Amino acid sequence: MAGYREATPDQAQYLDELVEAGLLIPSGVPGVYGRGTTFEDIRTRFDDHVSRAAAFEGAESLRFPPVLPRRQLEASGYLKSFPHLTGVVYAFEGSEIQAQEQARLACDHEDWSEHQHMSDLVLMPAVCYPVYPAIARRGPLPAGGVIIDPGASYAFRREPSGDPARLQMFHMRELVRIAEPDTVQAWRDGWRDRALELLRGLGLDARFDVASDPFFGRSGRMMAASQREQELKFEILAPIAGPEPTAIASFNYHQEHFGALHGITTATGETAHTACLGFGQERIVLALLKTHGLDPAGWPAEVRDALWRA
Ligand code: ATP
Ligand code: ZN
Ligand code: MG
């Protein structure tokens, strides 16, 4: 399979344990799993925990489906940076005869792609994408900008792997800040510290570091270096199934990228800056299970209290 990343022995063993315990349900495709009751309970409890931590800000909740208009992704430059991760929705638009031919090929597991056409949808690569055009539609921002909570939703990335921490479909819990540059940067830095505290409070051996996105190709390596140099992206890392700690949350300052792209202006008419943070929910559940054991009934009382309190 193109781009498939082999699991290390530790990652493969952890995946086996998770499946054995009914926490993850294999689909036969690497990086695509169902989740058992316990896994999903931990994930949604963690989501509530973040919501409680965010409540003081009075963020506005908006929800979007996990597909994006293809034109929006095209305009964002995503295909230049991450051609290898993009998932596109294809659909059938042919005649009855072509439908029969397609069905025959599909039943025989042969190549039926010639009958498929690119639709106007792509799979959501990150949960904040629909927020920017939605806010742009409202006209200039109110003074002080906005904080938007797009909740936890599925994101797709075509990065098949045997590592249970590298999924093709996973939940990202985001928060988005749109405002003047200083406000946005202070918000991002404040949340980086708050999130670190929150994750350490759950007993995770978490630390933060400057990071870069996995931009594609040689020019991508230059983009990643410049992103690091400007400290546009931070990650919080924690041990899962190694060998290195894994990114469980990210904090991104986009400068005026999305503001300029969608025409978002501040109350005083400047192009708005944006930042977002994303908790990788499955990775956080996997880190908790790795740290405290596969049965949450035996977790330390302070972790249980934090997640399971009313
Ligand atoms: P990585 O370097 O590990 O690929 P990323 O830089 O691509 O991560 P972001 O784009 O910042 O990650 O996504 C936000 C969060 O979503 C990450 O901090 C991580 O916790 C989670 N995440 C990203 N990719 C995956 C994946 N393939 N499977 C599970 N969680 C993921
Ligand atoms: Zn985002
Ligand atoms: Mg990635």
Side-chain angles (χ1 to χ4, degrees):
M1 186 190 310
Y4 178 72
R5 292 199 216 182
E6 208 66 59
T8 66
D10 283 352
Q11 291 166 349
Q13 191 195 326
Y14 189 36
L15 176 57
D16 284 348
E17 289 169 14
L18 292 159
V19 169
E20 182 66 28
L23 289 153
L24 291 183
I25 304 157
S27 70
V29 173
V32 179
Y33 302 96
R35 301 116 215 276
T37 307
T38 302
F39 191 101
E40 205 53 11
D41 188 30
I42 303 166
R43 188 183 71 75
T44 50
R45 296 288 175 171
F46 175 76
D47 200 39
D48 294 345
H49 193 49
V50 173
S51 296
R52 283 191 294 270
F56 77 98
E57 292 191 322
E60 178 184 350
S61 281
L62 299 176
R63 293 293 181 271
F64 300 94
V67 285
L68 205 64
R70 171 160 58 88
R71 290 191 70 87
Q72 186 188 338
L73 199 75
E74 290 167 354
S76 76
Y78 191 86
L79 272 299
K80 230 185 271 170
S81 300
F82 309 110
H84 52 311
L85 300 180
T86 310
V88 185
V89 177
Y90 279 72
F92 175 75
E93 289 172 7
S95 66
E96 250 173 81
I97 290 172
Q98 286 166 327
Q100 283 170 15
E101 175 63 3
Q102 173 175 259
R104 186 190 65 74
L105 291 166
C107 289
D108 294 342
H109 298 303
E110 286 177 31
D111 181 2
W112 44 284
S113 57
E114 66 174 289
H115 297 295
Q116 290 285 311
H117 295 271
M118 205 186 241
S119 77
D120 52 1
L121 294 172
V122 295
L123 301 180
M124 186 80 86
V127 170
C128 63
Y129 273 76
V131 170
Y132 310 108
I135 297 306
R137 284 173 64 87
R138 296 178 179 175
L141 295 173
V146 294
I147 305 174
I148 303 297
D149 172 6
S153 185
Y154 269 119
F156 174 86
R157 301 205 181 156
R158 181 65 181 162
E159 42 187 1
S161 167
D163 176 3
R166 187 161 300 282
L167 304 171
Q168 298 198 60
M169 264 290 189
F170 56 95
H171 288 89
M172 211 186 269
R173 167 63 196 267
E174 289 214 31
L175 286 168
V176 183
R177 188 77 170 102
I178 310 178
E180 292 77 12
D182 290 355
T183 309
V184 164
Q185 284 174 54
W187 178 87
R188 193 229 7 201
D189 293 352
W191 260 103
R192 180 195 63 200
D193 299 343
R194 193 170 305 128
L196 192 61
E197 204 174 298
L198 184 149
L199 292 162
R200 284 183 176 158
L202 297 177
L204 296 181
D205 179 14
R207 63 171 172 86
F208 84 80
D209 204 355
V210 178
S212 59
D213 282 311
F215 295 108
F216 185 75
R218 190 155 16 124
S219 59
R221 281 197 286 282
M222 280 159 62
M223 285 165 80
S226 139
Q227 189 185 28
R228 265 176 193 282
E229 202 182 316
Q230 298 180 71
E231 303 201 341
L232 297 180
K233 184 180 178 95
F234 291 107
E235 282 176 348
I236 294 181
L237 304 132
I240 300 184
E244 301 295 326
T246 306
I248 56 173
S250 308
F251 306 81
N252 307 289
Y253 176 34
H254 319 115
Q255 297 170 303
E256 59 173 32
H257 175 74
F258 288 113
L261 184 65
H262 297 289
I264 312 176
T265 52
T266 64
T268 52
E270 316 286 317
T271 298
H273 281 219
T274 66
C276 73
L277 67 89
F279 290 98
Q281 293 195 326
E282 281 79 4
R283 286 188 181 175
I284 288 168
V285 175
L286 293 173
L288 288 167
L289 291 164
K290 189 74 183 173
T291 306
H292 302 306
L294 296 189
D295 180 4
W299 287 8
E302 61 275 19
V303 178
R304 289 195 55 83
D305 285 352
L307 291 178
W308 274 272
R309 75 178 161 207

